[in-house]
Amino acid sequence: MVQFAKTGDATLLYRAPLNEREEKAKMLIATDYARKMSLDMRMVDSRFEDHIDNKVSHCARMINGYYRKYNGHRGTQFVFSDLGTYKPGEWNAYSEIKHKLVENHGIPSHEIRFIQEAKTEKARKMMIADMNNGRIRVMFGSTEMLGTGVNAQKRAVAVHHLDCPWRPSDLEQRDGRAIRKGNETAKTVAGNQVDVILYAVEKSLDAYKFGLLHNKQLFIRQLKNNNLGCRTIDEGAMDEKSGMNFSEYVAILSGNTELLEKARLEKRIAALESERQAFVRGKSSSRYKLENITQTVERNKGLLERISKDMENFKFRAQTKEDGSYRNPVQLDGVAGSDFKVIGKKLNEIASTAKTHGAHEPIGNLYGFTLYVKSETTNKDGLDFIQNRFSVRGDGEIFYQYNNGQMAVDPKLASQNFLHALVENMPRLLEQYIADNEKLSNDIPVLKEVVESTWRKEPELAELKSEMVKLERKIQQSLKSTDEMKGETSAPVNETVSKLPPPEKNNPEKSPKIPERLQEIAEASGGRIIIAGIGHSAKQDNPIVSKSLKV
């Protein structure tokens, strides 16, 4: 693949030479072939054979493990791949895994189905029902056909991802076929959890692509939650339209772990910046609350002083009866005396006829406190309704009301309206503002501590950013060296990628001729490097266990 990316020689991939249009899309083709190779080499050319360590083989073993583990509960599994989908009459990854499950692991063929087999909506619904009932135990499908509109979660215990989709939402949709409400088997026998298995091959684009997908999803979630720690996201250099740039492509396929280390650092930095952003927002919010509370406490102190002044004046001026109750010497403008019947009648007349247009209009006095009426206009169904409300105000310039300012119809009760407003509302408001200030004052020390605090992880973030700068500089140097390789037409002496002919089926054990320099490198590696050609195996006594696949 590296040699193809450098030279564009398509015969290395067992295909015809690139035409002019394909030459412009060389890296897209390289990316596509790299994805196919990580799944199964037979997707590149039929001359390749099965391998015990490819994704297909590993996936079959994993599926069988879950099948046996949850066999008593008829546990079901989803297998997703947008590559190697089911096509009748030709080799594909879906059919190969099914073949292994049936022939090698003894799983009944009718319990393994492909969603592509459902040609009608009726057949699709029947297949979903069979999976919920446990008649189908393993369902294969692509993101488009199986990732949405499938409610077959009732017995799901595992989700397998043979490849990585391009969008984070696609991965969520895949997982959502099993991880959702209504999964009874997972709830009762699997600790309310569904296992999600991602298959990735070392020195392929798998790990890098999964890393990019994670970073995209993290950015999207932060954007949705208004929790962004940064305003931009580095999506890397790979997408479904243009493939991957040459430098990063070669770096990853050659085993360069610096790009993966960069993805790890970016993930950690993004998390810390998000945490810092949350801290800054919390600190800003606390500062705003502190300012608000401080202003409210000061305002309440002013109100308390004014209410206390009114209470003192009332206590000094008020007259009491023999039984200790207060006299009610109300004086209304234009009314002689304090007879409660006359006063009550006049107040009801004012309540019915007054129009102050929203202003407080004085109508009399009581113990040196001025009595007011105010007209409030409301509109309902296009008609204006006027309601008059009554209040009393003293030197503290606070309006006190009784019964929400509404005047009673009974003359005696009406005449006592202003007295009740003073006697009952002044002490109540005084207690209310005192209680409010006590409560608010308790919050002030806590908010001050937050406002004056500093984010403790700032040194850690600075160190990570410093590491990132060094790593990026190192990566740029590495990629620059790779770019210089791009124009070379012939491989260097120690080139490990060579074009080999198709395997000779008549003599499979015939060893290819390996350059002496490569043999020296292999011998000096202590067994870490194995030299083999296509269709030929490494020595059987080699102690190295294949580690090409990570699950």
Side-chain angles (χ1 to χ4, degrees), residues 328 347 366 371-372 387-393 398-410 412-429:
N328 187 30
L347 287 173
L366 171 65
L371 313 181
Y372 290 92
Q387 185 173 29
N388 287 307
R389 297 186 186 276
F390 296 84
S391 58
V392 55
R393 186 177 73 166
I398 295 175
F399 289 93
Y400 304 101
Q401 290 183 338
Y402 175 73
N403 193 29
N404 200 27
Q406 297 178 357
M407 189 58 63
V409 176
D410 181 77
K412 185 175 182 179
L413 293 177
S415 67
Q416 294 175 340
N417 181 285
F418 303 104
L419 182 63
H420 285 308
L422 293 172
V423 173
E424 295 181 15
N425 270 0
M426 286 194 296
R428 182 184 63 80
L429 288 174

Side-chain angles (χ1 to χ4, degrees), residues 119-386:
K119 301 300 182 183
T120 64
E121 186 61 26
K122 182 178 179 181
R124 180 184 172 90
K125 289 181 179 179
M126 182 68 72
M127 197 176 287
I128 292 171
D130 286 345
M131 194 168 184
N132 278 326
N133 292 329
R135 286 190 286 270
I136 294 177
R137 301 286 300 281
V138 182
M139 178 80 79
F140 287 78
S142 62
T143 305
E144 182 179 0
M145 296 194 69
L146 190 60
T148 57
V150 176
N151 296 318
Q153 71 274 11
K154 189 175 180 180
R155 298 173 183 270
V157 295
V159 178
H160 303 262
H161 297 287
L162 281 172
D163 66 347
C164 177
W166 290 105
R167 297 175 300 186
S169 59
D170 290 340
L171 193 63
E172 286 190 346
Q173 286 293 338
R174 287 180 175 189
D175 293 341
R177 297 314 94 209
I179 306 172
R180 62 190 306 171
K181 187 177 180 181
N183 190 332
E184 297 176 4
T185 300
K187 186 175 182 180
T188 54
V189 301
N192 204 27
Q193 293 183 344
V194 173
D195 288 352
V196 176
I197 302 96
L198 310 174
Y199 296 83
V201 177
E202 280 186 342
K203 294 190 179 181
S204 76
L205 306 184
D206 289 342
Y208 187 64
K209 192 175 177 187
F210 274 115
L212 290 181
L213 203 68
H214 171 82
N215 286 344
K216 287 182 182 180
Q217 183 59 38
L218 180 64
F219 184 84
I220 291 169
R221 284 179 179 169
Q222 290 176 349
L223 184 64
K224 286 182 177 179
N225 297 332
N226 192 27
N227 193 31
L228 281 178
C230 56
R231 298 178 67 88
T232 60
I233 178 175
D234 180 6
E235 294 190 63
M238 178 168 61
D239 60 59
E240 57 186 320
K241 294 183 179 179
S242 60
M244 195 172 191
N245 74 38
F246 173 81
S247 301
E248 292 196 3
Y249 183 88
V250 174
I252 291 173
L253 292 189
S254 64
N256 188 335
T257 60
E258 290 167 353
L259 287 171
L260 299 179
E261 176 64 15
K262 178 187 175 186
R264 185 193 70 80
L265 279 176
E266 285 175 340
K267 176 182 173 182
R268 181 62 182 147
I269 288 172
L272 284 177
E273 286 185 333
S274 177
E275 186 179 324
R276 181 176 65 178
Q277 189 73 10
F279 173 82
V280 171
R281 280 199 305 273
K283 188 172 181 177
S284 178
S285 176
S286 295
R287 182 180 292 108
Y288 175 77
K289 288 179 181 177
L290 181 61
E291 291 173 356
N292 241 0
I293 286 177
T294 303
Q295 291 173 3
T296 302
V297 168
E298 291 302 315
R299 184 174 63 252
N300 287 352
K301 286 181 179 179
L303 290 171
L304 288 171
E305 291 178 3
R306 290 154 62 188
I307 294 171
S308 298
K309 182 178 181 181
D310 285 339
M311 289 182 70
E312 289 176 5
N313 289 338
F314 178 78
K315 186 177 181 180
F316 179 75
R317 299 168 186 169
Q319 304 170 9
T320 57
K321 300 178 184 178
E322 294 178 356
D323 60 1
S325 61
Y326 291 106
R327 296 184 182 276
N328 187 30
V330 178
Q331 298 292 323
L332 292 182
D333 297 342
V335 178
S338 300
D339 183 80
F340 73 85
K341 291 181 180 180
V342 178
I343 296 295
K345 182 180 179 181
K346 181 63 176 178
L347 287 173
N348 276 283
E349 181 184 330
I350 295 172
S352 302
T353 61
K355 292 182 180 180
T356 70
H357 305 289
H360 285 90
E361 198 169 285
I363 58 173
N365 68 84
L366 171 65
Y367 292 132
F369 289 81
T370 306
L371 313 181
Y372 290 92
V373 63
K374 178 184 177 183
S375 300
E376 296 180 354
T377 304
T378 57
N379 186 284
K380 185 177 182 182
D381 299 329
L383 299 175
D384 288 339
F385 292 87
I386 297 176

Side-chain angles (χ1 to χ4, degrees), residues 282-283 285-294 440 442-453:
K283 188 172 181 177
S285 176
S286 295
R287 182 180 292 108
Y288 175 77
K289 288 179 181 177
L290 181 61
E291 291 173 356
N292 241 0
I293 286 177
T294 303
L440 293 172
N442 290 334
D443 294 335
I444 290 176
V446 178
L447 292 171
K448 277 186 175 180
E449 184 178 352
V450 174
V451 170
E452 294 170 0
S453 64

Side-chain angles (χ1 to χ4, degrees), residues 55-172:
K55 283 186 183 180
V56 169
S57 299
H58 275 275
C59 185
R61 288 194 291 273
M62 292 293 290
I63 291 172
N64 178 62
Y66 282 97
Y67 181 94
R68 303 301 172 192
K69 182 177 180 179
Y70 295 101
N71 195 30
H73 301 277
R74 308 293 294 175
T76 60
Q77 303 175 63
F78 291 94
V79 184
F80 286 97
S81 178
D82 295 332
L83 294 172
T85 56
Y86 173 67
K87 294 180 180 65
E90 61 181 85
W91 187 93
N92 58 84
Y94 286 19
S95 298
E96 180 65 18
I97 296 175
K98 180 175 181 177
H99 173 76
K100 289 178 179 288
L101 291 173
V102 174
E103 298 297 326
N104 300 346
H105 301 290
I107 297 177
S109 177
H110 67 272
E111 293 185 359
I112 307 166
R113 298 295 299 276
F114 312 133
I115 195 66
Q116 289 86 351
E117 294 177 295
K119 301 300 182 183
T120 64
E121 186 61 26
K122 182 178 179 181
R124 180 184 172 90
K125 289 181 179 179
M126 182 68 72
M127 197 176 287
I128 292 171
D130 286 345
M131 194 168 184
N132 278 326
N133 292 329
R135 286 190 286 270
I136 294 177
R137 301 286 300 281
V138 182
M139 178 80 79
F140 287 78
S142 62
T143 305
E144 182 179 0
M145 296 194 69
L146 190 60
T148 57
V150 176
N151 296 318
Q153 71 274 11
K154 189 175 180 180
R155 298 173 183 270
V157 295
V159 178
H160 303 262
H161 297 287
L162 281 172
D163 66 347
C164 177
W166 290 105
R167 297 175 300 186
S169 59
D170 290 340
L171 193 63
E172 286 190 346

